[in-house]
Amino acid sequence: MGRSRRTIPEELLLLALDPATGTTAQPQSLDLGLAGAQLVELALAGRIAPDGDRIAVVMPRPTGDPTLDSALELLRRRGSPVRAVHWIGGPRLGLRQIYLAHLERCGMVHAVAGQMCGVLPTTRYQATDTAISREIRSRLDSAIRTGVPPDPRTAALAALAHAVGLGKHLYPGNEGRSSRSRLRDLIRHDPMGGLVAHAVMDVQNGVAAQPRRDRVPAPPERATAGGGLPLQPLQPRRTGAMARVAAH
């Protein structure tokens, strides 16, 4: 995978980065979203594919991106398809810091040391090129404004942004309500993005242990992502299970 294209985890993190404060919105749910974004990126690279509500490795060859390849190797070691909710909710949190360090190495952000209350050391991150963040945001705005079906990458990014609660950060206040609703609706344009977005919301709602077909989605008022927009349960997709492809 060449470096000419930013990955979806990188774009999700840049969307969440507040240029005024140098901090990330929705830091707790963002770790889950980044885990889901890795799955989408690996699927777009042809390394994994959905198998019902599970993820199967179909090509274990490395992508060339060390962070993605680490996730791919962990999936390969499972030996059999893993449920998306179990993968996203697994003990691999801390992805936000991993990706912030990754973006710093790539020159997309730079770290600014500081202090909280004049005592506690803190690190904030500033984008080195704000045009990149504007371009990412412009793609989402265009998909929301025009209603034209977005490309799979933009649709998946929108699905994950909604799932982690970035809607209220990107489109705040009452004036942003319709944009937040349309952001949520973009989920239907990418099956893999929709699958991982559902899984991210399921982990936050505490229902990951129960198969989707055996339960009723939680009502919207019970589900929020770190103080963000209430997460709306989505209509189940009626798609046939994909044939399992053995990794080799």
Side-chain angles (χ1 to χ4, degrees):
M1 177 181 295
R3 292 303 303 153
S4 60
R5 173 184 287 174
R6 295 180 301 272
T7 65
I8 293 176
E10 292 168 354
E11 292 196 330
L12 182 65
L13 185 52
L14 288 171
L15 268 183
L17 193 62
D18 189 322
T21 65
T23 60
T24 53
Q26 306 299 102
Q28 294 180 340
S29 57
L30 192 56
D31 270 339
L32 303 175
L34 289 170
Q38 287 184 319
L39 293 180
V40 176
E41 191 66 47
L42 288 170
L44 289 172
R47 296 330 193 252
I48 64 174
D51 184 0
D53 65 349
R54 296 175 182 268
I55 303 298
V57 175
V58 297
M59 184 191 297
R61 179 167 56 85
T63 66
D65 182 304
T67 312
L68 288 174
D69 288 341
S70 176
L72 179 61
E73 177 62 13
L74 287 174
L75 284 167
R76 186 192 66 80
R77 289 179 184 175
R78 295 292 184 97
S80 60
V82 59
R83 287 186 66 205
V85 287
H86 290 165
W87 171 259
I88 290 171
R92 294 168 344 295
L93 300 184
L95 280 177
R96 183 170 53 98
Q97 289 303 321
I98 291 173
Y99 266 101
L100 282 170
H102 170 73
L103 290 180
E104 186 178 16
R105 289 192 301 270
C106 292
M108 293 191 203
V109 303
H110 67 275
V112 179
Q115 289 184 329
M116 181 182 296
C117 301
V119 179
L120 299 175
T122 62
T123 302
R124 300 180 185 276
Y125 294 86
Q126 299 291 336
T128 56
D129 185 354
T130 56
I132 295 176
S133 297
R134 289 197 301 270
E135 184 273 330
I136 297 169
R137 175 67 180 272
S138 177
R139 281 165 38 215
L140 286 187
D141 290 345
S142 178
I144 287 172
R145 183 179 63 255
T146 65
V148 176
D151 62 274
R153 302 184 71 84
T154 302
L157 182 63
L160 289 161
H162 167 70
V164 302
L166 287 183
K168 203 167 186 177
H169 166 70
L170 297 171
Y171 306 103
N174 288 333
E175 64 275 16
R177 183 175 299 173
S178 61
S179 292
R180 294 194 298 269
S181 177
R182 288 193 289 271
L183 178 71
R184 179 194 65 219
D185 292 343
L186 290 176
I187 291 178
R188 70 180 185 273
H189 292 293
D190 180 62
M192 187 66 180
L195 171 65
V196 298
H198 277 293
V200 168
M201 291 186 282
D202 284 349
V203 173
Q204 293 177 88
N205 296 343
V207 292
Q210 196 174 354
R212 178 173 296 277
R213 63 179 179 274
D214 294 336
R215 58 179 168 78
V216 177
E221 63 270 16
R222 292 180 54 194
T224 61
L229 254 184
L231 299 175
Q232 304 294 327
L234 304 174
Q235 294 299 316
R237 298 174 303 281
R238 297 184 177 180
T239 58
M242 291 184 61
R244 183 168 305 171
V245 183
H248 57 276

